[in-house]
Amino acid sequence: MSKHVSVLDQYPDYALNIGIEVHVQLTTASKIFCATANGGGTTPNSCICIVCAGYPGVLPVLNKNVPNLAILAGLATNCQITRRSIFARKHYFYPDLPKGYQVTQADEPICTQGYIPIVLEDGSIKKIRLIRIHIEEDAGKNIHAAGTNESFVDLNRAGTPLLEIVSYPDIESTYEAKAYLKALHQIVRYIGVCTGNMDEGAFRADTNISVRKKDATEMGTRCELKNINSFKFIGDAVEYEIERQIDMLESGQKIVQQTRLWDTQQKVTRAMRSKEEAADYRYFPEPDLPILEIDDAWIERMRAQLPELPFAKAQRLVQEGLSAYEADIIVDDKDLADYYEAARALTGSKQLVNWILRDLLGYLKEHKMDLAQCCMTPTYMAHLMDLLDKGVINAAAAKEVFAAVAATGQHPDDVVKEKGLQQIGSVDELEAIVKATIAAYPEQVAQYRSGKDKMFGFFVGQVMKDTKGKGNPAIINDLLKKNL
Ligand SMILES: [Zn+2]
């Protein structure tokens, strides 16, 4: 892997610390404290009830699937699961939070002290430690109508269950920040707790960045980049922020702790507000919810549901012969990984991964299609590889078969038969054609024998023509060399 260039390379005296908080929307059927559908409602405020709309006097009831998914996420990230965790109220005023507080967890979060492994540029493994994972509810949305002074409140999102996953500031480069986020993004999708859809806000990262002189014992003052919704933007924003903070320090200015936004147009970060301290929120235990008690049996029940995790899968695929690059692409999408493994179970062909990465992904991209919509099933793909490996068809014919199967769902054998793509593969058959060709062009044979090597290509072309492109090129080459 090539070294990723960072602005930090230009400042060898400086070091970087990044801690990331990720908010993950959980895929439960209903919201966290009421029976209202989770994620429903295309028209504003069409998917709310008196609980999630924050009417006074209503009582929350915890959706049991929320701790289920939180435990799953904790186990998948090597956390300890807290046996008695407590909900808390975090107070702040915002129009999209009618209760005036958010129900979250403060002192006793459901998961603590985990880690997520990432692969560094030199191939070594680094564990990014997690401080905690806690459960909380999402707020609604304020909508500021363009070109007017009006603002609106949509509470459809209010009460959506969230996990907040908080890392230690162990991340020391832009590369590591992106690798960490991608790893976490893969995990939550693999275990099925979150769709991972960043455009829809299902996976939102707040990135805390601070720079310091390498020999400084204390970390620098941090700035938080809020809610950036793509890995690329996060990388760009981190790079910008490294340079901004170092420039300030170099010119003798003091960095103020604040929350900043990434301006995708101007490609700069802008101050949004000075960062609140925890004391500003006046946390206290939520009196309307009982202590959440989790026993060993519950934890083991969730552990039994854990699939093979992406990091382990990628390592296994590399052991089984894929390159790190190939394994990375295959593992990044669970559906693609499942596809690969289903086909792999049916064929030993070395060409399989190539055909999946090049032809299958190329086809999906070209036709703007999901894997599930494509008629080239893992079974057909494996069979196509076998046809190719056994020399029944050549590579050019395999491409034709691929395209036909992907479009129609026909069996590869039927396509081969229908289109007459079967290779003329037997040596006897081909040798007869080779001999006939040589006999038909005595002049060219004489030229070749007198040292015109490039005449060889002429004979290959003639034989391929006589076999209507269905001859095995390797065998034809051998036979021509033998007979000329
Ligand atoms: Zn509700």
Side-chain angles (χ1 to χ4, degrees):
M1 223 179 284
S2 64
K3 168 97 176 105
H4 290 254
V5 178
S6 168
V7 63
L8 195 62
D9 303 339
Q10 298 162 27
Y11 303 96
D13 298 345
Y14 282 90
L16 175 67
N17 288 98
I18 297 177
I20 299 182
E21 295 164 19
V22 174
H23 285 94
V24 159
Q25 283 183 346
L26 296 177
T27 52
T28 52
S30 52
K31 292 186 180 183
I32 184 168
F33 297 126
C34 60
T36 308
N38 179 22
T42 42
T43 16
N45 299 309
S46 62
C47 204
I48 59 175
C49 74
I50 54 171
V51 176
C52 51
Y55 278 42
V58 295
L59 288 172
V61 178
L62 179 64
N63 176 345
K64 191 171 180 185
N65 236 345
V66 172
N68 277 342
L69 300 188
I71 294 169
L72 212 50
L75 294 174
T77 53
N78 311 290
C79 284
Q80 290 170 29
I81 310 298
T82 308
R83 302 310 158 114
R84 286 166 60 87
S85 74
I86 297 168
F87 289 93
R89 291 186 180 181
K90 176 183 181 179
H91 296 85
Y92 64 94
F93 171 77
Y94 221 56
D96 61 14
L97 186 76
K99 289 194 301 242
Y101 60 85
Q102 177 190 28
V103 177
T104 178
Q105 296 190 298
D107 295 337
E108 302 290 341
I110 187 162
C111 311
T112 59
Q113 305 302 331
Y115 67 86
I116 293 175
I118 59 169
V119 180
L120 299 183
E121 289 167 275
D122 64 3
S124 64
I125 292 161
K126 175 171 176 176
K127 289 177 178 175
I128 307 297
R129 293 170 306 150
L130 301 184
I131 300 173
R132 58 192 280 148
I133 298 178
H134 65 253
I135 297 170
E136 61 186 27
E137 59 179 338
D138 211 345
K141 270 183 194 168
N142 294 318
I143 299 157
H144 308 292
T148 75
N149 290 326
E150 290 177 308
S151 288
F152 302 90
V153 175
D154 175 10
L155 294 177
N156 281 348
R157 197 178 69 176
T160 297
L162 296 178
L163 294 182
E164 183 172 329
I165 301 166
V166 185
S167 86
Y168 280 94
D170 285 352
I171 297 161
E172 293 170 299
S173 70
T174 309
Y175 172 87
E176 288 179 21
K178 283 159 89 173
Y180 169 78
L181 281 169
K182 281 186 183 166
L184 179 57
H185 191 241
Q186 282 178 353
I187 290 170
V188 296
R189 284 177 298 141
Y190 264 66
I191 62 177
V193 304
C194 175
T195 62
N197 191 323
M198 293 175 83
D199 292 339
E200 291 170 7
F203 185 97
R204 326 194 276 265
D206 300 340
T207 310
N208 288 285
I209 303 167
S210 69
V211 298
R212 62 181 160 83
K213 281 280 173 81
K214 263 190 185 146
D215 51 13
T217 45
E218 297 214 344
M219 273 202 277
T221 305
R222 66 176 194 269
C223 290
E224 182 184 48
L225 294 173
K226 199 99 188 136
N227 280 342
I228 304 179
N229 68 351
S230 92
F231 295 126
K232 182 180 182 312
F233 289 164
I234 289 167
D236 292 348
V238 169
E239 286 288 294
Y240 179 87
E241 197 57 20
I242 294 169
E243 191 153 36
R244 186 187 73 85
Q245 294 187 18
I246 292 178
D247 279 352
M248 286 183 76
L249 295 177
E250 287 285 287
S251 62
Q253 296 175 70
K254 215 170 155 249
I255 292 166
V256 269
Q257 186 173 333
Q258 58 187 191
T259 300
R260 300 178 69 84
L261 289 176
W262 176 242
D263 180 332
T264 54
Q265 300 295 317
Q266 304 293 317
K267 301 200 187 314
V268 296
T269 64
R270 291 185 199 287
M272 185 167 85
R273 57 167 188 253
S274 64
K275 176 79 181 162
E276 296 88 347
E277 293 299 326
D280 299 335
Y281 292 118
R282 305 204 48 111
Y283 283 95
F284 70 74
E286 164 62 67
D288 291 341
L289 285 165
I291 290 170
L292 176 59
E293 293 200 53
I294 297 167
D295 60 11
D296 290 351
W298 190 354
I299 295 172
E300 292 317 310
R301 225 165 35 241
M302 297 321 296
R303 198 190 302 280
Q305 291 182 25
L306 274 184
E308 182 183 34
L309 294 170
F311 185 80
K313 193 189 281 290
Q315 291 206 311
R316 177 171 60 77
L317 292 182
V318 168
Q319 269 169 17
E320 289 172 9
L322 297 198
S323 70
Y325 171 79
E326 290 166 343
D328 249 19
I329 300 176
I330 296 277
V331 165
D332 188 55
D333 176 353
K334 185 167 186 293
D335 292 339
L336 187 65
D338 290 345
Y339 183 100
Y340 169 75
E341 302 228 57
R344 176 88 293 167
L346 299 171
T347 176
S349 173
K350 288 202 163 61
Q351 311 193 57
L352 175 65
V353 67
N354 234 331
W355 275 78
I356 289 179
L357 296 186
R358 183 194 56 206
D359 299 88
L360 180 64
L361 291 186
Y363 184 89
L364 297 180
K365 197 173 169 197
E366 188 188 335
H367 292 84
K368 296 186 175 62
M369 187 184 263
D370 287 343
L371 202 49
Q373 299 168 292
C374 182
C375 296
M376 178 53 86
T377 62
T379 312
Y380 286 171
M381 182 63 119
H383 189 67
L384 179 60
M385 294 302 100
D386 287 343
L387 292 177
L388 194 53
D389 277 6
K390 287 179 190 150
V392 178
I393 53 175
N394 63 25
K399 297 233 179 221
E400 230 182 302
V401 177
F402 179 94
V405 175
T408 65
Q410 258 184 301
H411 194 287
D413 285 345
D414 294 341
V415 178
V416 170
K417 234 176 268 167
E418 204 172 277
K419 295 186 180 259
L421 294 170
Q422 189 138 2
Q423 223 170 200
I424 301 175
S426 85
V427 176
D428 292 347
E429 242 178 309
L430 285 174
E431 190 153 31
I433 296 170
V434 165
K435 282 187 168 155
T437 307
I438 290 172
Y441 298 99
E443 218 171 283
Q444 285 82 350
V445 173
Q447 285 175 12
Y448 177 74
R449 288 184 179 150
S450 68
K452 271 187 104 180
D453 287 348
K454 66 175 182 189
M455 288 311 292
F456 191 78
F458 166 80
F459 288 105
V460 174
Q462 287 303 319
V463 175
M464 285 306 277
K465 215 162 123 191
D466 288 346
T467 62
K468 297 193 176 66
K470 288 179 276 180
N472 181 318
I475 299 174
I476 291 171
N477 269 307
D478 288 348
L479 288 171
L480 276 169
K481 275 181 196 149
K482 187 179 129 197
N483 286 283
L484 267 169

